[in-house]
Amino acid sequence: MTPQCPALTIVLNHPAADSYARLIGERFPQVRPIVAPDSARLERYIGEADALLAFRFPVEVFDQAKKLRWFQCTGAGVDSIFPLRDRVGHITVTNARGIHGDIIADYVMAGATMLHWDFRKILREQAERKWNARYVAPLAERTLGVIGLGSIGTTIARRAKSAGMTVVGSKRDISVPVNCVDQLFASDALQDLLPLCDFVVLAVPGTVETVGLIGAAEIGRMRRGAFLINIARGNVIVEAELIKALSDGAIAGAMLDVFEREPLPQDSPLWDMPNVVATPHMAGSAANYTEKVFSILAENIERFLRGEVLENIVDLRRGY
């Protein structure tokens, strides 16, 4: 296979495009990687792409992508392609499912501990040189609920169980028990799950069905002393209703890694709320993230070249 006639041309629309291009070049000399991290280069080269690697699908150049047959998402959620769901039947969509569980479970357990001990208050007291000791119940006496028991949610459940917590969770198919989950609820039974929890972790995929999943009514079912942790998508929560609930003391606090608008607007009340920890969409960002994604990409390049079914194919009808 000559460079003039590559077996596969893959456009890399990603901040780490140079790294992906180097890794592809070292392992697949017959593949042509095109570095296109910005919109100008993407628009220039998308017409040549057999495959596209990106965190979000660039819907604005879809009509120019005449040759595109495969989209490899570098994240787990592919909701960016949903506006084109009825037009992309000829494109195989794959994601990075399976690489986020451990790092996100680290984030959730650190967040649960931080919220439970009120470390924001402790750090403020430290800055003010105040010595205010207090008693705190063990996490092992608390219940953590996971809404969405996919690969990430199941890893979170396992980590919480290893900390001695009672774990409850919800998923679409409850016919098969989930290891480390003490009580399983159907996805439409949140009204029964929420009152049981001291921590509610949102780990659902971003789909049409999960937009606005948690609003005032659902928050009203939570315990006043409970905390909400969101590592799913920002639009899973009705943000204005959450802000009101946090201001009114309807729940004790929240740890949020995702938001309705990102970056979080400078005028958002969430920046300054004393019962909120806000992080910049980083819960799944492992230090070796590029290498982890490349392991999936490389396997799929090999399968693509052999004409085999790819790994981590997303069912766009379900959204994951």
Side-chain angles (χ1 to χ4, degrees):
M1 190 66 64
T2 66
Q4 289 75 29
C5 186
L8 168 67
T9 295
I10 180 166
V11 169
L12 308 170
N13 178 227
H14 194 276
D18 287 323
S19 296
Y20 285 115
R22 175 181 55 79
L23 291 167
I24 291 170
E26 291 171 353
R27 183 158 171 181
F28 301 102
Q30 74 275 44
V31 172
R32 178 193 179 203
I34 298 179
V35 174
D38 56 72
S39 57
R41 279 182 281 184
L42 176 64
E43 188 169 356
R44 178 180 176 183
Y45 290 113
I46 191 63
E48 303 177 39
D50 301 304
L52 169 69
L53 178 135
F55 180 64
R56 291 183 175 85
F57 190 87
V59 295
E60 67 277 5
V61 297
F62 172 70
D63 289 333
Q64 298 165 243
K66 303 297 185 183
K67 296 173 59 181
L68 191 65
R69 289 180 285 159
W70 166 32
F71 168 49
Q72 174 67 62
C73 179
T74 61
V78 297
D79 38 314
S80 59
I81 202 172
F82 288 172
L84 300 171
R85 188 163 12 196
D86 296 332
R87 300 177 59 195
V88 294
H90 61 292
I91 298 174
T92 299
V93 178
T94 58
N95 67 3
R97 182 174 63 249
I99 70 172
H100 305 88
D102 282 331
I103 190 70
I104 291 181
D106 287 348
Y107 176 95
V108 168
M109 295 309 296
T113 302
M114 188 174 184
L115 294 167
H116 183 58
W117 283 76
D118 199 355
F119 264 96
R120 289 203 59 177
K121 184 177 181 180
I122 291 170
L123 292 172
R124 289 194 301 269
E125 290 173 351
Q126 177 186 346
E128 297 168 3
R129 290 175 166 76
K130 292 181 178 178
W131 186 271
N132 293 329
R134 54 182 59 82
Y135 293 100
V136 180
L139 278 177
E141 296 179 3
R142 295 295 183 254
T143 296
L144 182 140
V146 183
I147 299 176
L149 286 165
S151 61
I152 293 172
T154 301
T155 305
I156 293 168
R158 184 173 69 247
R159 195 74 66 81
K161 195 64 183 173
S162 71
M165 302 182 77
T166 299
V167 180
V168 299
S170 68
K171 63 192 299 282
R172 273 188 179 178
D173 180 8
I174 61 172
S175 61
V176 179
V178 178
N179 288 339
C180 303
V181 176
D182 298 293
Q183 192 172 358
L184 195 57
F185 294 83
S187 55
D188 60 357
L190 295 186
Q191 72 277 6
D192 299 319
L193 179 151
L194 292 170
L196 303 177
C197 303
D198 300 293
F199 301 90
V200 174
V201 182
L202 303 179
V204 293
T207 68
V208 173
E209 292 78 16
T210 61
V211 172
L213 182 68
I214 303 296
E218 290 72 27
I219 295 170
R221 296 287 296 169
M222 293 175 61
R223 298 174 176 176
R224 291 185 69 87
F227 299 97
L228 183 64
I229 301 175
N230 189 11
I231 52 84
R233 283 289 185 265
N235 62 10
V236 171
I237 297 175
V238 182
E239 205 163 275
E241 295 177 7
L242 172 63
I243 290 170
K244 185 178 187 306
L246 290 165
S247 298
D248 294 345
I251 58 174
M255 187 157 183
L256 309 170
D257 189 53
V258 287
F259 305 89
E260 287 180 343
R261 289 176 56 197
E262 295 181 5
L264 183 63
Q266 290 296 305
D267 60 354
S268 171
L270 293 169
W271 285 109
D272 300 314
M273 300 186 81
N275 54 351
V276 172
V277 178
T279 56
H281 203 149
M282 59 181 287
S285 300
N288 59 344
Y289 195 86
T290 298
E291 290 75 13
K292 284 178 174 288
V293 171
F294 182 72
S295 67
I296 296 172
L297 175 65
E299 174 65 24
N300 275 340
I301 288 175
E302 291 180 353
R303 288 169 177 254
F304 188 94
L305 295 177
R306 294 195 299 260
E308 297 175 359
V309 175
L310 304 187
E311 284 192 336
N312 281 16
I313 290 178
V314 176
D315 182 348
L316 292 182
R317 293 169 300 174
R318 296 190 308 172
Y320 54 90

PDB file of all heavy atoms in Angstrom, residues 75-109:
ATOM      1  N   GLY A  75     -14.678   9.979  23.719  1.00  0.00           N
ATOM      2  CA  GLY A  75     -15.367   9.909  24.998  1.00  0.00           C
ATOM      3  C   GLY A  75     -16.361   8.764  24.996  1.00  0.00           C
ATOM      4  O   GLY A  75     -16.458   7.987  24.036  1.00  0.00           O
ATOM      5  N   ALA A  76     -17.124   8.674  26.088  1.00  0.00           N
ATOM      6  CA  ALA A  76     -18.145   7.630  26.178  1.00  0.00           C
ATOM      7  C   ALA A  76     -19.471   8.085  25.571  1.00  0.00           C
ATOM      8  O   ALA A  76     -20.194   7.301  24.958  1.00  0.00           O
ATOM      9  CB  ALA A  76     -18.354   7.222  27.636  1.00  0.00           C
ATOM     10  N   GLY A  77     -19.813   9.363  25.742  1.00  0.00           N
ATOM     11  CA  GLY A  77     -21.090   9.880  25.267  1.00  0.00           C
ATOM     12  C   GLY A  77     -21.004  10.375  23.834  1.00  0.00           C
ATOM     13  O   GLY A  77     -20.067  11.083  23.469  1.00  0.00           O
ATOM     14  N   VAL A  78     -21.979  10.009  23.009  1.00  0.00           N
ATOM     15  CA  VAL A  78     -21.994  10.419  21.605  1.00  0.00           C
ATOM     16  C   VAL A  78     -23.213  11.283  21.297  1.00  0.00           C
ATOM     17  O   VAL A  78     -23.688  11.335  20.161  1.00  0.00           O
ATOM     18  CB  VAL A  78     -21.958   9.195  20.661  1.00  0.00           C
ATOM     19  CG1 VAL A  78     -20.670   8.410  20.849  1.00  0.00           C
ATOM     20  CG2 VAL A  78     -23.174   8.298  20.879  1.00  0.00           C
ATOM     21  N   ASP A  79     -23.716  11.987  22.310  1.00  0.00           N
ATOM     22  CA  ASP A  79     -24.918  12.797  22.115  1.00  0.00           C
ATOM     23  C   ASP A  79     -24.713  13.919  21.102  1.00  0.00           C
ATOM     24  O   ASP A  79     -25.684  14.468  20.583  1.00  0.00           O
ATOM     25  CB  ASP A  79     -25.418  13.367  23.449  1.00  0.00           C
ATOM     26  CG  ASP A  79     -24.305  13.804  24.380  1.00  0.00           C
ATOM     27  OD1 ASP A  79     -23.341  13.041  24.551  1.00  0.00           O
ATOM     28  OD2 ASP A  79     -24.391  14.918  24.930  1.00  0.00           O
ATOM     29  N   SER A  80     -23.470  14.266  20.793  1.00  0.00           N
ATOM     30  CA  SER A  80     -23.214  15.324  19.814  1.00  0.00           C
ATOM     31  C   SER A  80     -23.687  14.944  18.418  1.00  0.00           C
ATOM     32  O   SER A  80     -23.939  15.830  17.586  1.00  0.00           O
ATOM     33  CB  SER A  80     -21.714  15.644  19.769  1.00  0.00           C
ATOM     34  OG  SER A  80     -20.965  14.490  19.415  1.00  0.00           O
ATOM     35  N   ILE A  81     -23.840  13.654  18.137  1.00  0.00           N
ATOM     36  CA  ILE A  81     -24.268  13.223  16.807  1.00  0.00           C
ATOM     37  C   ILE A  81     -25.775  13.044  16.720  1.00  0.00           C
ATOM     38  O   ILE A  81     -26.317  12.855  15.626  1.00  0.00           O
ATOM     39  CB  ILE A  81     -23.547  11.913  16.397  1.00  0.00           C
ATOM     40  CG1 ILE A  81     -23.537  11.753  14.879  1.00  0.00           C
ATOM     41  CG2 ILE A  81     -24.169  10.700  17.069  1.00  0.00           C
ATOM     42  CD1 ILE A  81     -22.673  10.595  14.391  1.00  0.00           C
ATOM     43  N   PHE A  82     -26.471  13.154  17.838  1.00  0.00           N
ATOM     44  CA  PHE A  82     -27.913  12.902  17.841  1.00  0.00           C
ATOM     45  C   PHE A  82     -28.705  13.781  16.877  1.00  0.00           C
ATOM     46  O   PHE A  82     -29.698  13.321  16.305  1.00  0.00           O
ATOM     47  CB  PHE A  82     -28.482  13.035  19.252  1.00  0.00           C
ATOM     48  CG  PHE A  82     -28.087  11.905  20.176  1.00  0.00           C
ATOM     49  CD1 PHE A  82     -28.381  11.961  21.528  1.00  0.00           C
ATOM     50  CD2 PHE A  82     -27.415  10.787  19.702  1.00  0.00           C
ATOM     51  CE1 PHE A  82     -28.008  10.935  22.386  1.00  0.00           C
ATOM     52  CE2 PHE A  82     -27.033   9.758  20.547  1.00  0.00           C
ATOM     53  CZ  PHE A  82     -27.339   9.836  21.892  1.00  0.00           C
ATOM     54  N   PRO A  83     -28.342  15.056  16.669  1.00  0.00           N
ATOM     55  CA  PRO A  83     -29.110  15.851  15.702  1.00  0.00           C
ATOM     56  C   PRO A  83     -29.122  15.248  14.294  1.00  0.00           C
ATOM     57  O   PRO A  83     -30.011  15.573  13.496  1.00  0.00           O
ATOM     58  CB  PRO A  83     -28.379  17.203  15.711  1.00  0.00           C
ATOM     59  CG  PRO A  83     -27.760  17.286  17.059  1.00  0.00           C
ATOM     60  CD  PRO A  83     -27.342  15.878  17.368  1.00  0.00           C
ATOM     61  N   LEU A  84     -28.150  14.373  13.995  1.00  0.00           N
ATOM     62  CA  LEU A  84     -28.058  13.749  12.677  1.00  0.00           C
ATOM     63  C   LEU A  84     -28.450  12.274  12.707  1.00  0.00           C
ATOM     64  O   LEU A  84     -28.194  11.545  11.760  1.00  0.00           O
ATOM     65  CB  LEU A  84     -26.624  13.872  12.139  1.00  0.00           C
ATOM     66  CG  LEU A  84     -26.076  15.284  11.951  1.00  0.00           C
ATOM     67  CD1 LEU A  84     -24.589  15.222  11.641  1.00  0.00           C
ATOM     68  CD2 LEU A  84     -26.823  16.011  10.853  1.00  0.00           C
ATOM     69  N   ARG A  85     -29.083  11.851  13.789  1.00  0.00           N
ATOM     70  CA  ARG A  85     -29.334  10.430  14.000  1.00  0.00           C
ATOM     71  C   ARG A  85     -30.021   9.768  12.800  1.00  0.00           C
ATOM     72  O   ARG A  85     -29.732   8.620  12.476  1.00  0.00           O
ATOM     73  CB  ARG A  85     -30.175  10.240  15.259  1.00  0.00           C
ATOM     74  CG  ARG A  85     -30.323   8.802  15.650  1.00  0.00           C
ATOM     75  CD  ARG A  85     -30.790   8.537  17.058  1.00  0.00           C
ATOM     76  NE  ARG A  85     -31.293   9.654  17.812  1.00  0.00           N
ATOM     77  CZ  ARG A  85     -31.441   9.625  19.139  1.00  0.00           C
ATOM     78  NH1 ARG A  85     -31.116   8.537  19.806  1.00  0.00           N
ATOM     79  NH2 ARG A  85     -31.916  10.657  19.790  1.00  0.00           N
ATOM     80  N   ASP A  86     -30.910  10.464  12.140  1.00  0.00           N
ATOM     81  CA  ASP A  86     -31.655   9.883  11.033  1.00  0.00           C
ATOM     82  C   ASP A  86     -30.902   9.934   9.710  1.00  0.00           C
ATOM     83  O   ASP A  86     -31.390   9.427   8.697  1.00  0.00           O
ATOM     84  CB  ASP A  86     -33.002  10.594  10.869  1.00  0.00           C
ATOM     85  CG  ASP A  86     -33.913  10.415  12.074  1.00  0.00           C
ATOM     86  OD1 ASP A  86     -33.779   9.376  12.748  1.00  0.00           O
ATOM     87  OD2 ASP A  86     -34.734  11.316  12.342  1.00  0.00           O
ATOM     88  N   ARG A  87     -29.694  10.530   9.719  1.00  0.00           N
ATOM     89  CA  ARG A  87     -28.949  10.702   8.469  1.00  0.00           C
ATOM     90  C   ARG A  87     -27.610   9.976   8.464  1.00  0.00           C
ATOM     91  O   ARG A  87     -26.884  10.045   7.465  1.00  0.00           O
ATOM     92  CB  ARG A  87     -28.713  12.195   8.218  1.00  0.00           C
ATOM     93  CG  ARG A  87     -29.979  13.026   8.099  1.00  0.00           C
ATOM     94  CD  ARG A  87     -29.633  14.498   7.923  1.00  0.00           C
ATOM     95  NE  ARG A  87     -28.818  14.722   6.731  1.00  0.00           N
ATOM     96  CZ  ARG A  87     -28.137  15.854   6.506  1.00  0.00           C
ATOM     97  NH1 ARG A  87     -28.162  16.830   7.394  1.00  0.00           N
ATOM     98  NH2 ARG A  87     -27.424  15.992   5.399  1.00  0.00           N
ATOM     99  N   VAL A  88     -27.274   9.298   9.528  1.00  0.00           N
ATOM    100  CA  VAL A  88     -25.928   8.718   9.625  1.00  0.00           C
ATOM    101  C   VAL A  88     -25.958   7.194   9.677  1.00  0.00           C
ATOM    102  O   VAL A  88     -25.046   6.572  10.213  1.00  0.00           O
ATOM    103  CB  VAL A  88     -25.177   9.282  10.855  1.00  0.00           C
ATOM    104  CG1 VAL A  88     -24.904  10.754  10.705  1.00  0.00           C
ATOM    105  CG2 VAL A  88     -25.951   9.004  12.148  1.00  0.00           C
ATOM    106  N   GLY A  89     -26.961   6.596   9.077  1.00  0.00           N
ATOM    107  CA  GLY A  89     -27.055   5.141   9.101  1.00  0.00           C
ATOM    108  C   GLY A  89     -25.903   4.442   8.403  1.00  0.00           C
ATOM    109  O   GLY A  89     -25.618   3.270   8.685  1.00  0.00           O
ATOM    110  N   HIS A  90     -25.229   5.150   7.504  1.00  0.00           N
ATOM    111  CA  HIS A  90     -24.106   4.567   6.773  1.00  0.00           C
ATOM    112  C   HIS A  90     -22.777   4.692   7.524  1.00  0.00           C
ATOM    113  O   HIS A  90     -21.753   4.182   7.063  1.00  0.00           O
ATOM    114  CB  HIS A  90     -23.961   5.256   5.413  1.00  0.00           C
ATOM    115  CG  HIS A  90     -23.682   6.730   5.510  1.00  0.00           C
ATOM    116  ND1 HIS A  90     -24.626   7.633   5.989  1.00  0.00           N
ATOM    117  CD2 HIS A  90     -22.570   7.459   5.210  1.00  0.00           C
ATOM    118  CE1 HIS A  90     -24.103   8.850   5.966  1.00  0.00           C
ATOM    119  NE2 HIS A  90     -22.864   8.767   5.504  1.00  0.00           N
ATOM    120  N   ILE A  91     -22.795   5.364   8.672  1.00  0.00           N
ATOM    121  CA  ILE A  91     -21.580   5.590   9.454  1.00  0.00           C
ATOM    122  C   ILE A  91     -21.606   4.706  10.697  1.00  0.00           C
ATOM    123  O   ILE A  91     -22.591   4.707  11.443  1.00  0.00           O
ATOM    124  CB  ILE A  91     -21.453   7.069   9.859  1.00  0.00           C
ATOM    125  CG1 ILE A  91     -21.341   7.955   8.619  1.00  0.00           C
ATOM    126  CG2 ILE A  91     -20.242   7.283  10.776  1.00  0.00           C
ATOM    127  CD1 ILE A  91     -21.361   9.450   8.940  1.00  0.00           C
ATOM    128  N   THR A  92     -20.537   3.967  10.927  1.00  0.00           N
ATOM    129  CA  THR A  92     -20.395   3.201  12.165  1.00  0.00           C
ATOM    130  C   THR A  92     -19.866   4.134  13.243  1.00  0.00           C
ATOM    131  O   THR A  92     -18.838   4.807  13.050  1.00  0.00           O
ATOM    132  CB  THR A  92     -19.423   2.022  11.979  1.00  0.00           C
ATOM    133  OG1 THR A  92     -19.932   1.154  10.970  1.00  0.00           O
ATOM    134  CG2 THR A  92     -19.257   1.247  13.280  1.00  0.00           C
ATOM    135  N   VAL A  93     -20.561   4.194  14.370  1.00  0.00           N
ATOM    136  CA  VAL A  93     -20.170   5.063  15.475  1.00  0.00           C
ATOM    137  C   VAL A  93     -19.649   4.198  16.613  1.00  0.00           C
ATOM    138  O   VAL A  93     -20.336   3.281  17.078  1.00  0.00           O
ATOM    139  CB  VAL A  93     -21.359   5.924  15.964  1.00  0.00           C
ATOM    140  CG1 VAL A  93     -20.952   6.793  17.153  1.00  0.00           C
ATOM    141  CG2 VAL A  93     -21.878   6.802  14.820  1.00  0.00           C
ATOM    142  N   THR A  94     -18.422   4.490  17.049  1.00  0.00           N
ATOM    143  CA  THR A  94     -17.828   3.769  18.172  1.00  0.00           C
ATOM    144  C   THR A  94     -17.382   4.774  19.224  1.00  0.00           C
ATOM    145  O   THR A  94     -17.112   5.935  18.916  1.00  0.00           O
ATOM    146  CB  THR A  94     -16.621   2.910  17.720  1.00  0.00           C
ATOM    147  OG1 THR A  94     -15.639   3.762  17.100  1.00  0.00           O
ATOM    148  CG2 THR A  94     -17.057   1.846  16.742  1.00  0.00           C
ATOM    149  N   ASN A  95     -17.305   4.315  20.473  1.00  0.00           N
ATOM    150  CA  ASN A  95     -16.905   5.223  21.551  1.00  0.00           C
ATOM    151  C   ASN A  95     -15.767   4.624  22.371  1.00  0.00           C
ATOM    152  O   ASN A  95     -15.230   3.571  22.042  1.00  0.00           O
ATOM    153  CB  ASN A  95     -18.111   5.592  22.433  1.00  0.00           C
ATOM    154  CG  ASN A  95     -18.652   4.416  23.219  1.00  0.00           C
ATOM    155  OD1 ASN A  95     -18.120   3.306  23.180  1.00  0.00           O
ATOM    156  ND2 ASN A  95     -19.733   4.632  23.951  1.00  0.00           N
ATOM    157  N   ALA A  96     -15.416   5.326  23.447  1.00  0.00           N
ATOM    158  CA  ALA A  96     -14.302   4.893  24.307  1.00  0.00           C
ATOM    159  C   ALA A  96     -14.816   4.230  25.576  1.00  0.00           C
ATOM    160  O   ALA A  96     -14.184   4.323  26.629  1.00  0.00           O
ATOM    161  CB  ALA A  96     -13.404   6.076  24.636  1.00  0.00           C
ATOM    162  N   ARG A  97     -15.945   3.587  25.473  1.00  0.00           N
ATOM    163  CA  ARG A  97     -16.542   2.898  26.613  1.00  0.00           C
ATOM    164  C   ARG A  97     -15.552   1.925  27.247  1.00  0.00           C
ATOM    165  O   ARG A  97     -14.838   1.196  26.559  1.00  0.00           O
ATOM    166  CB  ARG A  97     -17.785   2.142  26.150  1.00  0.00           C
ATOM    167  CG  ARG A  97     -18.540   1.405  27.227  1.00  0.00           C
ATOM    168  CD  ARG A  97     -19.833   0.818  26.683  1.00  0.00           C
ATOM    169  NE  ARG A  97     -19.612  -0.184  25.656  1.00  0.00           N
ATOM    170  CZ  ARG A  97     -19.924  -0.020  24.371  1.00  0.00           C
ATOM    171  NH1 ARG A  97     -20.462   1.116  23.938  1.00  0.00           N
ATOM    172  NH2 ARG A  97     -19.710  -0.993  23.489  1.00  0.00           N
ATOM    173  N   GLY A  98     -15.492   1.947  28.585  1.00  0.00           N
ATOM    174  CA  GLY A  98     -14.679   0.988  29.301  1.00  0.00           C
ATOM    175  C   GLY A  98     -13.386   1.525  29.879  1.00  0.00           C
ATOM    176  O   GLY A  98     -12.749   0.859  30.696  1.00  0.00           O
ATOM    177  N   ILE A  99     -13.008   2.767  29.500  1.00  0.00           N
ATOM    178  CA  ILE A  99     -11.730   3.293  29.996  1.00  0.00           C
ATOM    179  C   ILE A  99     -11.900   4.302  31.123  1.00  0.00           C
ATOM    180  O   ILE A  99     -10.908   4.751  31.696  1.00  0.00           O
ATOM    181  CB  ILE A  99     -10.896   3.932  28.865  1.00  0.00           C
ATOM    182  CG1 ILE A  99     -11.536   5.251  28.380  1.00  0.00           C
ATOM    183  CG2 ILE A  99     -10.716   2.963  27.710  1.00  0.00           C
ATOM    184  CD1 ILE A  99     -10.670   6.022  27.414  1.00  0.00           C
ATOM    185  N   HIS A 100     -13.152   4.672  31.440  1.00  0.00           N
ATOM    186  CA  HIS A 100     -13.378   5.767  32.388  1.00  0.00           C
ATOM    187  C   HIS A 100     -13.699   5.330  33.810  1.00  0.00           C
ATOM    188  O   HIS A 100     -13.648   6.136  34.732  1.00  0.00           O
ATOM    189  CB  HIS A 100     -14.537   6.642  31.902  1.00  0.00           C
ATOM    190  CG  HIS A 100     -14.372   7.181  30.520  1.00  0.00           C
ATOM    191  ND1 HIS A 100     -14.787   6.480  29.413  1.00  0.00           N
ATOM    192  CD2 HIS A 100     -13.860   8.351  30.071  1.00  0.00           C
ATOM    193  CE1 HIS A 100     -14.522   7.203  28.326  1.00  0.00           C
ATOM    194  NE2 HIS A 100     -13.955   8.320  28.693  1.00  0.00           N
ATOM    195  N   GLY A 101     -14.063   4.068  33.971  1.00  0.00           N
ATOM    196  CA  GLY A 101     -14.653   3.635  35.236  1.00  0.00           C
ATOM    197  C   GLY A 101     -13.805   3.928  36.459  1.00  0.00           C
ATOM    198  O   GLY A 101     -14.283   4.522  37.429  1.00  0.00           O
ATOM    199  N   ASP A 102     -12.545   3.526  36.444  1.00  0.00           N
ATOM    200  CA  ASP A 102     -11.716   3.660  37.639  1.00  0.00           C
ATOM    201  C   ASP A 102     -11.466   5.115  38.012  1.00  0.00           C
ATOM    202  O   ASP A 102     -11.567   5.488  39.181  1.00  0.00           O
ATOM    203  CB  ASP A 102     -10.386   2.925  37.444  1.00  0.00           C
ATOM    204  CG  ASP A 102     -10.527   1.421  37.607  1.00  0.00           C
ATOM    205  OD1 ASP A 102     -11.420   0.994  38.365  1.00  0.00           O
ATOM    206  OD2 ASP A 102      -9.759   0.675  36.980  1.00  0.00           O
ATOM    207  N   ILE A 103     -11.122   5.962  37.032  1.00  0.00           N
ATOM    208  CA  ILE A 103     -10.803   7.353  37.356  1.00  0.00           C
ATOM    209  C   ILE A 103     -12.053   8.101  37.818  1.00  0.00           C
ATOM    210  O   ILE A 103     -12.005   8.917  38.747  1.00  0.00           O
ATOM    211  CB  ILE A 103     -10.123   8.057  36.163  1.00  0.00           C
ATOM    212  CG1 ILE A 103      -9.568   9.431  36.577  1.00  0.00           C
ATOM    213  CG2 ILE A 103     -11.056   8.192  34.975  1.00  0.00           C
ATOM    214  CD1 ILE A 103      -8.387   9.366  37.494  1.00  0.00           C
ATOM    215  N   ILE A 104     -13.208   7.800  37.206  1.00  0.00           N
ATOM    216  CA  ILE A 104     -14.443   8.461  37.638  1.00  0.00           C
ATOM    217  C   ILE A 104     -14.866   7.957  39.013  1.00  0.00           C
ATOM    218  O   ILE A 104     -15.376   8.730  39.840  1.00  0.00           O
ATOM    219  CB  ILE A 104     -15.555   8.283  36.589  1.00  0.00           C
ATOM    220  CG1 ILE A 104     -15.209   9.087  35.331  1.00  0.00           C
ATOM    221  CG2 ILE A 104     -16.913   8.722  37.144  1.00  0.00           C
ATOM    222  CD1 ILE A 104     -16.244   9.021  34.227  1.00  0.00           C
ATOM    223  N   ALA A 105     -14.655   6.678  39.286  1.00  0.00           N
ATOM    224  CA  ALA A 105     -14.942   6.163  40.628  1.00  0.00           C
ATOM    225  C   ALA A 105     -14.053   6.841  41.665  1.00  0.00           C
ATOM    226  O   ALA A 105     -14.497   7.133  42.787  1.00  0.00           O
ATOM    227  CB  ALA A 105     -14.765   4.658  40.671  1.00  0.00           C
ATOM    228  N   ASP A 106     -12.779   7.114  41.316  1.00  0.00           N
ATOM    229  CA  ASP A 106     -11.907   7.893  42.202  1.00  0.00           C
ATOM    230  C   ASP A 106     -12.545   9.238  42.519  1.00  0.00           C
ATOM    231  O   ASP A 106     -12.604   9.676  43.677  1.00  0.00           O
ATOM    232  CB  ASP A 106     -10.548   8.154  41.541  1.00  0.00           C
ATOM    233  CG  ASP A 106      -9.659   6.919  41.468  1.00  0.00           C
ATOM    234  OD1 ASP A 106      -9.982   5.906  42.112  1.00  0.00           O
ATOM    235  OD2 ASP A 106      -8.632   6.991  40.766  1.00  0.00           O
ATOM    236  N   TYR A 107     -13.007   9.909  41.467  1.00  0.00           N
ATOM    237  CA  TYR A 107     -13.613  11.241  41.609  1.00  0.00           C
ATOM    238  C   TYR A 107     -14.847  11.178  42.509  1.00  0.00           C
ATOM    239  O   TYR A 107     -15.016  12.006  43.416  1.00  0.00           O
ATOM    240  CB  TYR A 107     -13.980  11.759  40.227  1.00  0.00           C
ATOM    241  CG  TYR A 107     -14.709  13.090  40.200  1.00  0.00           C
ATOM    242  CD1 TYR A 107     -14.022  14.270  40.018  1.00  0.00           C
ATOM    243  CD2 TYR A 107     -16.100  13.150  40.329  1.00  0.00           C
ATOM    244  CE1 TYR A 107     -14.680  15.490  39.972  1.00  0.00           C
ATOM    245  CE2 TYR A 107     -16.770  14.358  40.290  1.00  0.00           C
ATOM    246  CZ  TYR A 107     -16.054  15.524  40.113  1.00  0.00           C
ATOM    247  OH  TYR A 107     -16.723  16.719  40.079  1.00  0.00           O
ATOM    248  N   VAL A 108     -15.706  10.203  42.259  1.00  0.00           N
ATOM    249  CA  VAL A 108     -16.957  10.109  43.022  1.00  0.00           C
ATOM    250  C   VAL A 108     -16.678   9.830  44.492  1.00  0.00           C
ATOM    251  O   VAL A 108     -17.271  10.471  45.381  1.00  0.00           O
ATOM    252  CB  VAL A 108     -17.874   9.034  42.421  1.00  0.00           C
ATOM    253  CG1 VAL A 108     -19.034   8.722  43.364  1.00  0.00           C
ATOM    254  CG2 VAL A 108     -18.405   9.485  41.066  1.00  0.00           C
ATOM    255  N   MET A 109     -15.789   8.912  44.775  1.00  0.00           N
ATOM    256  CA  MET A 109     -15.516   8.580  46.174  1.00  0.00           C
ATOM    257  C   MET A 109     -14.800   9.730  46.881  1.00  0.00           C
ATOM    258  O   MET A 109     -15.069  10.010  48.059  1.00  0.00           O
ATOM    259  CB  MET A 109     -14.707   7.292  46.268  1.00  0.00           C
ATOM    260  CG  MET A 109     -15.452   6.059  45.778  1.00  0.00           C
ATOM    261  SD  MET A 109     -17.102   5.861  46.524  1.00  0.00           S
ATOM    262  CE  MET A 109     -16.679   5.632  48.265  1.00  0.00           C
TER     263      MET A 109
END
